[in-house]
Amino acid sequence: MRNVTVIENRKRKNFRQLFITLAVASIGFLAIFIMVSVMYTGFDYNNVTQIEGIASEVTSQEESYIFLMDDGESYSLNSIVAGKVDAEEISTLQEQNITLYIMDDEVIGFESDSYTLAGEEGFRLIKDNYKVSMIIIGVLAGLLLLGTIASLIKFLTEKKMVRGDVFKLINTRQLAMSQVRKQYIKFAMMPLILALIFLIPMVIYSEPIGTMFYIFLGIFLACLVSGIVVSAIILPFINKREIEEFDKALNFDDLDESKEHNRFIMDVGNYLPFELKEEGILYREEFEADFLIESLKNDKALAGQDLLKVRSDLLREIKSHPKDENDSTLKEDTFIKYNELNLVTKVVFRSSNEPIKIFVCSQFDESQYPTLRNDLFFEFDEDLYYFIKKYNIKVVGLERCLQKRREYMEKYSKGKVKYFDITDNGEVELFTKIK
């Protein structure tokens, strides 16, 4: 068979999600950058005023100092300037004649006979601080903006639909996150979530920029870096645990004979339903409803429901969506013997969530079933294996794959997705570039 199909391009969706995420982050940092830039360009020493009087009291408060004047007014020292003040020297200002330099209701300098920090020096310290902040935030905003633009370009240039080998394309679907990965990711995501939370106080303390802004900026960057580092450290452990879980899940040494196994299977190469019989597989359109019901019964999703009504509703829904003339079709009650199927084993290896996925696939000549566009691809599970053993169905490479599954996962479930044909004697990697 040609085994070529067309599906929606998953990469395009991923780039769209990445673009939205980066765009939101970019807007946040650009807003802070614009705010800081406006304040920086609006800085003018001519806006500084002077107040003279006697400092009745000078007290330390958090990371600043409060000047209480003899007229009852109090003034706070700018936190940036406060970082340059000598704690012992400033205490000598009490009961002294003092000139305060005020800008935006904050003290940026003072003069007295005992201790002086010039208004021009305080002004320069604050303006230099804004300049450094503007550069740091600008660089971060620029990097995020470049990432946003790159992801947008990738989103716009990716095709909506892609054409290629059916086995490869049916495995480009987005996978549900494994339970193992969920447990670890919750832990790894905490620093990244905290990083986003600390963006809020960064904005709050960005006008005017002071010590608190830099504290929250430092915490933000520390959380961001630690989140990335923690993720990088735990990824190998997640991969190892996932391999262990799938190794256990594929251990069918003791099949439960008393369990009711689902004899209906769905071909994901052509989206056609079949029933497993002793000599072969039988096609009927209505089997799609039976396949869904049996699958849901295993998950106990239909407990207490009228299964006949559920089946009737499903059939009505299935028939309301007639097949396209280009879709694969088979005549009702088509029966295909197992020896006609020439069943083989194909496997997909991934580095995350699903380290191994096994498919039992047909190998038809194009002349056998001309209305089929692709071979039949059945996802391997315990139910299918039960009937393979029960009816002694020959599947090339399946037993070898199950016996060596742990070895295969440890070897191939790394990096990019890999596709293999497994034979009784070895394995052949698919879709590799010829060197």
Side-chain angles (χ1 to χ4, degrees):
M1 304 292 284
R2 291 177 60 200
N3 290 329
V4 174
T5 191
V6 177
I7 65 167
E8 187 177 5
N9 189 356
R10 186 69 216 175
K11 285 185 179 179
R12 194 169 189 269
K13 283 188 175 182
N14 292 339
F15 281 122
R16 182 180 63 187
Q17 293 170 354
L18 180 61
F19 162 71
I20 293 171
T21 303
L22 291 177
V24 171
S26 297
I27 291 170
F29 272 90
L30 282 171
I32 298 175
F33 176 73
I34 292 170
M35 188 185 304
V36 175
S37 299
V38 169
M39 289 186 287
Y40 177 78
T41 55
F43 252 51
D44 189 347
Y45 193 72
N46 291 325
N47 296 327
V48 177
T49 59
Q50 297 181 26
I51 294 175
E52 295 184 7
I54 296 175
S56 301
E57 189 177 3
V58 180
T59 57
S60 174
Q61 184 173 357
E62 294 181 353
E63 297 178 355
S64 184
Y65 295 89
I66 303 297
F67 294 86
L68 179 62
M69 306 302 286
D70 58 351
D71 60 0
E73 295 291 331
S74 63
Y75 302 92
S76 175
L77 183 63
N78 180 278
S79 59
I80 297 169
V81 179
K84 296 293 182 181
V85 166
D86 187 296
E88 293 184 5
E89 290 287 347
I90 198 171
S91 64
T92 65
L93 295 177
Q94 291 190 161
E95 304 302 331
Q96 296 284 323
N97 254 330
I98 188 171
T99 299
L100 301 179
Y101 294 88
I102 308 294
M103 185 178 69
D104 295 331
D105 298 325
E106 285 191 315
V107 178
I108 66 167
F110 48 83
E111 288 184 8
S112 74
D113 292 338
S114 63
Y115 184 40
T116 293
L117 195 156
E120 292 89 347
E121 182 182 355
F123 179 84
R124 179 185 56 77
L125 287 171
I126 296 171
K127 191 161 186 176
D128 287 348
N129 179 272
Y130 272 91
K131 185 177 181 179
V132 171
S133 302
M134 189 170 63
I135 292 171
I136 293 172
I137 297 169
V139 169
L140 291 173
L143 291 173
L144 286 169
L145 190 59
L146 286 174
T148 302
I149 294 170
S151 59
L152 177 61
I153 292 171
K154 290 296 290 182
F155 166 67
L156 294 175
T157 54
E158 285 284 343
K159 295 178 180 178
K160 290 184 179 180
M161 307 296 290
V162 289
R163 178 183 179 87
D165 186 276
V166 64
F167 179 54
K168 189 172 185 180
L169 292 183
I170 61 177
N171 284 289
T172 58
R173 71 195 189 285
Q174 188 172 17
L175 299 175
M177 189 179 293
S178 69
Q179 291 300 318
V180 171
R181 190 166 294 265
K182 281 181 182 179
Q183 295 171 3
Y184 282 95
I185 290 299
K186 283 180 183 178
F187 172 74
M189 286 297 292
M190 285 303 299
L192 299 178
I193 293 171
L194 287 173
L196 293 175
I197 292 173
F198 282 112
L199 276 175
I200 299 171
M202 279 174 60
V203 175
I204 295 172
Y205 286 100
S206 63
E207 186 181 1
I209 286 181
T211 305
M212 292 302 293
F213 172 83
Y214 281 110
I215 289 174
F216 286 116
L217 177 61
I219 295 173
F220 168 80
L221 293 175
C223 290
L224 194 65
V225 172
S226 62
I228 295 170
V229 171
V230 168
S231 298
I233 291 173
I234 67 172
L235 280 177
F237 294 99
I238 297 174
N239 183 253
K240 183 178 179 181
R241 283 286 311 280
E242 285 176 338
I243 287 174
E244 290 173 355
E245 291 298 316
F246 273 77
D247 181 41
K248 293 177 184 176
L250 290 171
N251 181 8
F252 301 136
D253 291 340
D254 298 311
L255 280 172
D256 186 357
E257 298 287 340
S258 62
K259 177 184 174 181
E260 183 181 353
H261 293 275
N262 185 4
R263 62 172 55 251
F264 298 97
I265 53 177
M266 195 74 185
D267 153 47
V268 293
N270 306 276
Y271 298 100
L272 299 174
F274 295 86
E275 182 183 6
L276 290 157
K277 299 286 189 178
E278 187 171 355
E279 299 296 329
I281 56 175
L282 176 66
Y283 167 76
R284 284 181 189 160
E285 186 181 27
E286 66 183 45
F287 288 159
E288 184 174 350
D290 297 306
F291 169 77
L292 292 171
I293 289 172
E294 291 300 321
S295 300
L296 292 170
K297 277 171 60 179
N298 288 339
D299 296 332
K300 298 181 180 179
L302 299 177
Q305 295 191 43
D306 185 344
L307 295 184
L308 289 177
K309 184 179 183 306
V310 172
R311 188 176 190 274
S312 176
D313 292 341
L314 285 172
L315 287 174
R316 191 182 303 111
E317 177 68 20
I318 291 166
K319 291 182 183 298
S320 67
H321 299 286
K323 288 185 175 292
D324 186 271
E325 60 181 8
N326 294 320
D327 289 343
S328 289
T329 59
L330 282 174
K331 290 182 180 180
E332 281 289 299
D333 292 319
T334 295
F335 184 79
I336 308 174
K337 292 184 178 181
Y338 292 122
N339 59 2
E340 291 182 68
L341 289 167
N342 297 315
L343 295 171
V344 296
T345 304
K346 292 180 180 288
V347 185
V348 184
F349 296 100
R350 296 182 176 86
S351 61
S352 62
N353 296 313
E354 195 176 57
I356 187 171
K357 184 71 173 180
I358 304 172
F359 290 82
V360 174
C361 316
S362 69
Q363 280 192 319
F364 290 133
D365 290 330
E366 289 190 24
S367 59
Q368 282 181 272
Y369 295 94
T371 57
L372 284 181
R373 296 183 62 184
N374 307 305
D375 274 301
L376 306 180
F377 290 80
F378 301 115
E379 295 185 20
F380 179 77
D381 58 15
E382 181 183 353
D383 290 328
L384 179 54
Y385 190 58
Y386 170 81
F387 289 103
I388 287 173
K389 300 298 287 184
K390 181 178 181 179
Y391 298 143
N392 196 26
I393 303 169
K394 171 65 177 175
V395 183
V396 174
L398 181 59
E399 291 304 323
R400 177 186 177 88
C401 181
L402 291 176
Q403 290 170 8
K404 302 188 68 174
R405 61 186 182 275
R406 181 66 179 257
E407 178 186 335
Y408 282 153
M409 285 189 282
E410 291 175 348
K411 184 177 181 180
Y412 299 122
S413 297
K414 301 174 183 178
K416 293 182 179 180
V417 180
K418 298 178 181 66
Y419 307 86
F420 278 84
D421 274 338
I422 307 295
T423 69
D424 291 336
N425 300 314
E427 57 275 354
V428 178
E429 186 170 1
L430 306 173
F431 315 120
T432 55
K433 294 181 180 179
I434 300 175
K435 298 182 180 179

